Structures are given as C-alpha cells and as structure tokens.
Amino acid sequence: AFLLADRVCLMNEGRIMQIGKPARLLFHPANDFVKEFLSASYLRLALGAVKVSDIWGQLNDSEVPETPMINVSAEDSIWAVMEQTMKNSDAQILNVQNDAGQTRRVSREGLFTAFSRYKYN
C-alpha cells in the first residue's frame, strides 16, 4: 500500500492512528504506534517514498570521466534507481533528468548522500 497509494490510513483496533501521504507517516509519525508499526520496514519504505526530484537540490554534478551511465528520471523513487544500479553494476554514474529537461550527472554515492540529508516538510 505504501508504494502504490497517495494516502494511507493506519489503524489500530478500529481506531485511526494516522492518515496521510506515505512520506508523512514515515517522517512524521503521529505517535509511537505508527513509528513502531513502520520501523521494521522503515528504510525500504523511505527509499520507495522519496523521489529523486525530492532531493534534486541536494544533488551535486559529478565531474568524472566518461563511464557507463544509467539514465533515470527525477520522478523515479530512490528505490527504483537503486534497483537499476543493481542490474547494471558497471555504471557508476546516474544521468538524471527532471521534468523541466534539466540534467544532472551524479554518482550512486552522491545520490545516497543526498538521500541521507532529506528532510520531509
């Protein structure tokens, strides 16, 4: 549900604990129940909920020689990009394009560094 839904309703014993976008539940849980419920799958859910476009401002272009690259969309989730990099382990650089046609070349490490700094508003 987290990976497919726009909004999620988490309930406990027939009571609504929190309703909202998946990222809101992950990064701003309403209470300990929500936090604990999501804790076992937290990293997987967070990687799926955050899109590359969400961290666009944190991405720094990599100055690297021409190497195999993977083309990805800024609308892809971090998880989807991670899956692509696993399938093509020779590619060290991501060629990321956003909806405005802007392109950034970023290393896999740079992508995950930007993700680690992500703050959901």
Side-chain angles (χ1 to χ4, degrees):
F2 251 73
L3 301 177
L4 299 175
D6 293 348
R7 293 174 52 86
V8 174
C9 177
L10 186 58
M11 299 177 72
N12 181 27
E13 297 179 357
R15 290 191 181 138
I16 295 173
M17 296 287 108
Q18 189 170 357
I19 299 174
K21 293 183 178 189
R24 175 150 289 297
L25 274 72
L26 283 166
F27 298 114
H28 296 290
N31 55 41
D32 288 339
F33 176 82
V34 175
K35 185 176 183 178
E36 182 63 30
F37 185 86
L38 300 173
S39 67
S41 302
Y42 182 83
L43 183 58
R44 167 65 179 100
L45 295 172
L47 289 168
V50 177
K51 294 180 179 181
V52 178
S53 60
D54 295 331
I55 60 172
W56 184 263
Q58 299 291 323
L59 296 177
N60 296 318
D61 282 321
S62 293
E63 304 260 342
V64 295
E66 289 298 317
T67 60
M69 285 190 290
I70 299 173
N71 293 316
V72 298
S73 167
E75 292 309 305
D76 290 341
S77 70
I78 304 299
W79 183 264
V81 172
M82 187 172 74
E83 285 181 323
Q84 290 180 48
T85 64
M86 297 301 288
K87 292 176 187 172
N88 188 351
S89 60
D90 292 339
Q92 298 297 313
I93 301 298
L94 304 167
N95 189 45
V96 185
Q97 185 171 17
N98 68 11
D99 287 344
Q102 298 170 316
T103 302
R104 295 216 171 129
R105 289 172 41 133
V106 63
S107 67
R108 289 188 279 191
E109 292 78 17
L111 178 74
F112 293 112
T113 297
F115 171 74
S116 71
R117 294 182 185 137
Y118 176 72
K119 301 285 188 248
Y120 182 81
N121 295 322

